[in-house]
Each structure stands twice: as structure tokens, then as C-alpha cells.
Amino acid sequence: MLKNVPLMIGLRYIRAKRRTQFISFVSGFSLLGMALGVMALIVVLSVMNGFDREMKSRVLQVVPHGFIEQPNGIDDWQALRQNVLQHPDVVGAAPSINGYALASSARRTTGIEYAAVEPTLQPEVSQVARSMILGDLEQLQPGRFGIVLGVLLARQLGVMPGDKVTVTLPEVRITPAGVYPRAKRFEVIGVFEVGAPVDQRMALLHLDDMQRLLRLSAPTGLQVEVNDIYQTGRVLAQLQSEMATDLQQNMTLTDWSHSQGSLFQAVKMEKMIVGILLSTIIAVAAFNIVSSLVLMVSDKRSDIAVLRTMGLTSGQVIKIFMVQGVGVGLLGITIGGVLGVLVALNISALVSAIETMVGLKVFDPSVYFISEIPSQLYLSDVFIICLAAFILSLLATCYPAWRAGQIQPAEALRYE
């Protein structure tokens, strides 16, 4: 019977009315703070996960999953492509030449990341053909010197299909008149939009035109598409071990995390920083639990003394107030967890309803890459948040409960 006394009394103290309203206010405020902190963390991390998912899916519509590169050119790239396609996890492969250059129009000059591709094979490794909003990728014909630009890049340069863009490569040519940078005028034949940062810097050229401009006899890379983007590194490692004899000495195999890793690392860092900052809400709620328990111990000194005289030990008194503090914390965590999951699963509909009521657009599609708030709820995030909040609640009860256990009955009852 005595073993259940701390649990029974602790739960009763949670429900009981306080003689001092201020104690009830602090206790309720700590419960509310814990619920809001847990809910905010779940919702914000779900939104950050949604942004990460949208960014990866959109960027990798244009950027291939893996690259096999040879700076001097892959002479027999057709045979290498056939060997790569024999891997069960590879769904496509296409030749390319990738690099950086300057693009100039009558209005502006800006840096670009170009990819010289073969239009007939590019759909195997990229969805850019489906993302064309002006023109057609098949209009990239050898000898025409056409170029396809991302929508934001075309907007920066102020060009439309039919306009001319000068592409200047980071190489020079020596002529009798002097040293000049290697440059060529290209005709804009199309514009694509995937709703990602690649719209600001990506340009597509025909493989034959770039080989002629760079004086290469073969493409310098082979783009690879796999079934699961998160297994690209493993697939490339298997290709490197299985095709050791087919790969030339200077060939390098890299995946999308090398070319786009900084972007996704920045998103991951933002998620971590935002999580740490929002965790302060839970920490403040835990401090409120400390305050409410300290006041509660002061308010219940006579009750503690009576319980001690009835046979309760100091350890059992400590357990009473730990049950009370943890109970308040668990109640707040439960409420916050349920609300956080519900909001995270329905945040797009909620924001759309608020936009309809207010008449404003949270994410303007002409400014941002997205038109609605994405959300991806992971149960692992919910578990970690609730566990961290529970640990903070448990730690918050230690000092006030210890103080309660140190109260001596004679001292507490002296002036009663």
C-alpha cells in the first residue's frame, strides 16, 4: 500500500485546487509552455523536412544522380554506357560535358553552370524535357548552337527564345592578334522551370556544339540515373569495383551529394539551428515546472510534515513531487505532441484556409520556388522531441522534490 502512496498523492496534487492562485497560474503556464514548445518543434521540423524533400525532388529532376568523369574525354562512351546500364539499379545513362562559364546578353552578364547533353538520351537521366515552359529540348540540334536556360536565369539576362546569348568559357585562345577568351554566341531556343535554385544558374547546350567549341573528340562525362537517389553512392562504388578494367585510369565516380551537397547541407544546418532555438521554449517550460514545484513545496509544508509523521520516508516525499512535476510535463508533452502531429499533417490546408480568409499569399510563386508550405512528418522526430521534453521535465523536478524531502516535521509544524 505504501508503495503506491507517492503516485496517488502526486496525481492528486496535480488535480487539487491551490490555496494560492499564483501557484495554479505558474503550473498552468508551465503546462501550456511545454505543449506549445513540443507542438512548435514538431511542426517546424516537419516543414523543414518538407522543404528538404521538395528541394531534392526538384533539383534532381535536372541534376543526374551520379557522374562518371574523364577530363580528357571518354573515347568509347557508348560501350561504357552499355556496361553501366547492365547494373540492376541503374535506370539510365547519357553522355555530357559539364562546366562553368559566363553568359552575357545586352542587359547583363552572369555566371552559369552548363551541361552539354545529347537530347535523345537526356530524358533517361533528367526530367528537364518535361519541365520546358518555352520551346522544346529536341530543338537542340548539332551545329545550331542553341541554348536552353532556367527560367530565373533567362529572366536575369532578359532574354526570350530567339534572342542571342554570348557564352564565355574559362579558357583562352591564342591568335596572331593576341590572347582572347573562348566565346560563342548561342541562340536561346527554350526555357525550363523546375522550381529550384537550378533555375537561376543552369543552361543546357548540345553535346556536339560544346565538343567543337572545346575542341574535344569525346564527352568528358557520363551521367547516371539510379532507382533510389539515396543509394547512389553504393551503386557507384559497385560499378567502380565491377568495371575496374573498363574504367580508365583518371576516371572519377561521384554522386549528386558532391555537386549539390552544399545546398542540402545548408538545409540540414538550418533545421538543426531552428530546432535548437525552438528547444528554448521547452527549456523555459521546464524552468516554470521548477518554479511551480518550489511554490508548491512551500505551500504544502504542513501536509509534508503530517505525511512524514504518518510514516512516509524522505524518499517517498521526493517521489510525490517528482510524480507531480513529471505529470504536468507529460500532460503538456501529450497535448503538444497530438496538436503538433495534427498541424504538421494538415498545415498546407490550414495555410490555404488562412490565405483565403485574409486574402494574402504566404508564398508568392513569382518570388519563391514553392506556392504552398510542404510538410514531411517523421515519427523519429516526434519521438526525439517528446523524449527530450520528458527528460527536461524529469530533471526540473529533482531540486524541488529534494527540497521537499529535506523538510523536518517538527520545524514545519512549529508555527501551525
Side-chain angles (χ1 to χ4, degrees), residues 352-373:
S352 298
I354 295 174
E355 289 176 344
T356 303
M357 294 173 55
V358 178
L360 297 176
K361 198 72 176 175
V362 176
F363 291 102
D364 187 353
S366 62
V367 179
Y368 300 97
F369 294 118
I370 59 174
S371 58
E372 60 181 18
I373 297 179

Side-chain angles (χ1 to χ4, degrees), residues 5-6 9-10 13 297 300 303-305 307-309 311-323 400-407:
V5 168
I9 298 177
Y13 276 174
V297 170
K300 299 293 185 180
D303 293 356
I304 296 171
L307 290 172
R308 290 294 304 274
T309 58
L312 260 66
T313 64
S314 176
Q316 288 176 315
V317 173
I318 291 175
K319 290 179 182 179
I320 290 174
F321 288 94
M322 290 189 72
V323 168
W402 177 81
R403 287 288 303 272
Q406 301 304 307
I407 294 177

Side-chain angles (χ1 to χ4, degrees), residues 83-298:
N83 290 337
V84 169
L85 289 175
Q86 292 179 4
H87 193 284
D89 292 326
V90 175
V91 296
S96 69
I97 300 175
N98 298 82
Y100 299 91
L102 287 177
S104 305
S105 65
R107 293 180 55 182
R108 188 174 178 182
T109 298
T110 186
I112 64 170
E113 180 181 352
Y114 68 82
V117 300
E118 177 60 51
T120 58
L121 298 177
Q122 192 62 18
E124 293 187 14
V125 297
S126 173
Q127 303 298 321
V128 66
R130 302 178 185 177
S131 305
M132 299 292 294
I133 58 176
L134 294 175
D136 195 331
L137 186 64
E138 294 181 355
Q139 294 178 357
L140 275 179
Q141 299 295 329
R144 183 179 178 180
F145 288 97
I147 186 171
V148 176
L149 303 175
V151 61
L152 296 181
L153 179 58
R155 189 178 301 168
Q156 289 177 6
L157 295 173
V159 295
M160 295 286 289
D163 295 338
K164 298 291 184 179
V165 171
T166 301
V167 176
T168 304
L169 301 175
E171 296 183 5
V172 297
R173 58 180 179 175
I174 302 175
T175 66
V179 178
Y180 294 93
R182 192 179 298 275
K184 180 67 179 179
R185 286 175 64 82
F186 286 80
E187 178 187 355
V188 179
I189 63 170
V191 177
F192 68 86
E193 181 180 14
V194 296
V198 290
D199 290 341
Q200 294 178 321
R201 63 177 188 271
M202 180 64 72
L204 301 178
L205 312 166
H206 196 281
L207 184 64
D208 291 346
D209 294 340
M210 188 54 64
Q211 285 184 218
R212 187 184 309 177
L213 187 59
L214 294 173
R215 297 180 181 180
L216 293 172
S217 59
T220 60
L222 191 69
Q223 301 176 348
V224 180
E225 187 88 354
V226 300
N227 285 321
D228 185 357
I229 61 174
Y230 301 104
Q231 299 298 323
T232 306
R234 177 186 61 82
V235 173
L236 292 180
Q238 291 177 354
L239 287 174
Q240 191 166 19
S241 61
E242 294 172 1
M243 302 170 53
T245 56
D246 296 329
L247 296 177
Q248 300 178 23
Q249 184 176 2
N250 295 329
M251 279 189 183
T252 57
L253 284 74
T254 57
D255 60 13
W256 58 270
S257 63
H258 288 77
S259 60
Q260 305 296 325
S262 58
L263 173 63
F264 300 126
Q265 192 67 29
V267 175
K268 184 178 180 180
M269 182 64 68
E270 289 177 1
K271 177 183 175 181
M272 184 180 68
I273 296 300
V274 169
I276 293 174
L277 292 177
L278 288 179
S279 297
T280 57
I281 300 177
I282 298 178
V284 170
F287 280 117
N288 285 331
I289 292 177
V290 175
S291 302
S292 64
L293 284 181
V294 168
L295 293 174
M296 186 69 176
V297 170
S298 177

